[in-house]
Amino acid sequence: MKPDFVIIAVDGGAASGKSSTSRLVAERLNLMHVDTGSHYRAVTFALLQKGVGPDDEAAVAERLKSIPLSTELDGRSARIALDGRVPTKDELRSEAVNNAVSPYAAVPAVRQFLFDYQRAQADIARENNFTGLIMEGRDIGSVIFPDATLRVFLEADAATRAERRAAEGQSDSIEKRDKIDSSRKTAPLTCPDGAYKIDNSNLTLEEVVEEIANAVSNCV
Ligand code: C5P
């Protein structure tokens, strides 16, 4: 039976093309787009401001209790708001956040804090009459939506990923983040069994979008 609501999980390492691909697939298939990297970045930004380090899990858990989360729709993109405010792009992509986000994302209390919020994004997409949800991150197909209609894992070679970040004018420790993200105990970055793997090093964005759209139509 054709599902009335589609969920696409997109995982992959830093600069593997998740965001550009997910945004275009969202447009093509009328999906709400959620970038969960921005959730971890937002929480990192808040915890850095409060001066709580990732090594003190009890203090992190305590601080998180005082951060109310909500969601604001910006076109098709659902943005996380902390205490009623959506952090700016500069706040989320600063060098300080780039360097600190993976250690914070490895803290189980941080992942637990975001789990229900991320699952609930499907309800927001339904309430806003989207045909479905495309959510990108590191553990979407393995932990958040293992029941997704389609689970995609994106890869690209190291040179291509470094070029992408350079083209965005960003200084980002891609390999360092991937290493921490892949080796953490809770919800490590991994290609889940049965996921549709795409190496996009030599593909255009349009080709990747086409491949995902075809794969979705084979699933529904
Ligand atoms: O996707 P982006 O590179 O913005 O993600 C920033 C960081 O957030 C990742 O390096 C990772 O540590 C963390 N993250 C995660 N799980 C997700 C999404 C992001 O641990 N689902």
Side-chain angles (χ1 to χ4, degrees):
M1 199 176 74
K2 203 174 160 149
D4 60 354
F5 189 80
V6 169
I7 297 184
I8 307 180
V10 180
D11 291 302
S16 58
K18 298 185 301 293
S19 291
S20 346
T21 306
S22 301
R23 268 195 290 269
L24 283 182
V25 174
E27 248 173 57
R28 177 148 163 184
L29 303 179
N30 183 35
L31 311 175
M32 186 175 95
H33 168 230
V34 180
D35 165 14
T36 62
S38 73
H39 301 170
Y40 287 92
R41 289 172 178 276
V43 168
T44 298
F45 175 72
L47 291 170
L48 282 175
Q49 275 202 323
K50 290 177 195 284
V52 185
D55 294 337
D56 189 348
E57 184 167 0
V60 166
E62 194 50 40
R63 275 299 184 179
L64 292 176
K65 282 189 201 154
S66 62
I67 306 181
L69 299 181
S70 55
T71 304
E72 281 186 22
L73 262 185
D74 172 10
R76 300 187 170 284
S77 291
R79 310 252 185 240
I80 192 168
L82 274 60
D83 227 344
R85 186 178 79 86
V86 177
T88 65
K89 196 173 169 210
D90 285 350
E91 287 170 341
L92 296 180
R93 304 244 151 219
S94 70
E95 204 164 338
V97 169
N98 276 345
N99 288 330
V101 64
S102 289
Y104 281 105
V107 178
V110 170
R111 307 203 73 82
Q112 190 56 43
F113 176 66
L114 289 171
F115 180 85
D116 290 340
Y117 175 78
Q118 291 173 349
R119 288 277 308 175
Q121 296 294 306
D123 303 326
I124 297 178
R126 278 194 184 90
E127 283 155 16
N128 286 279
N129 298 320
F130 287 101
T131 310
L133 167 73
I134 184 162
M135 183 174 280
E136 49 158 310
R138 304 292 189 290
D139 62 340
I140 311 308
S142 55
V143 174
I144 307 297
F145 286 113
D147 47 351
T149 319
L150 177 72
R151 295 174 303 155
V152 176
F153 192 82
L154 291 183
E155 290 179 315
D157 58 44
T160 308
R161 300 197 301 150
E163 270 167 34
R164 285 178 187 156
R165 278 297 185 262
E168 289 166 1
Q170 274 201 58
S171 116
D172 190 355
S173 33
I174 296 174
E175 281 169 26
K176 196 169 151 207
R177 283 204 286 133
D178 276 0
K179 200 166 166 205
I180 302 175
D181 294 342
S182 312
S183 57
R184 69 184 171 219
K185 286 207 179 80
T186 312
L189 164 66
T190 179
C191 176
D193 275 350
Y196 188 85
K197 211 186 233 190
I198 304 176
D199 184 328
N200 60 20
S201 313
N202 297 308
L203 297 175
T204 64
L205 201 48
E206 290 69 27
E207 285 169 330
V208 181
V209 171
E210 184 70 26
E211 209 169 318
I212 294 176
N214 286 338
V216 177
S217 59
N218 288 333
C219 292
V220 296

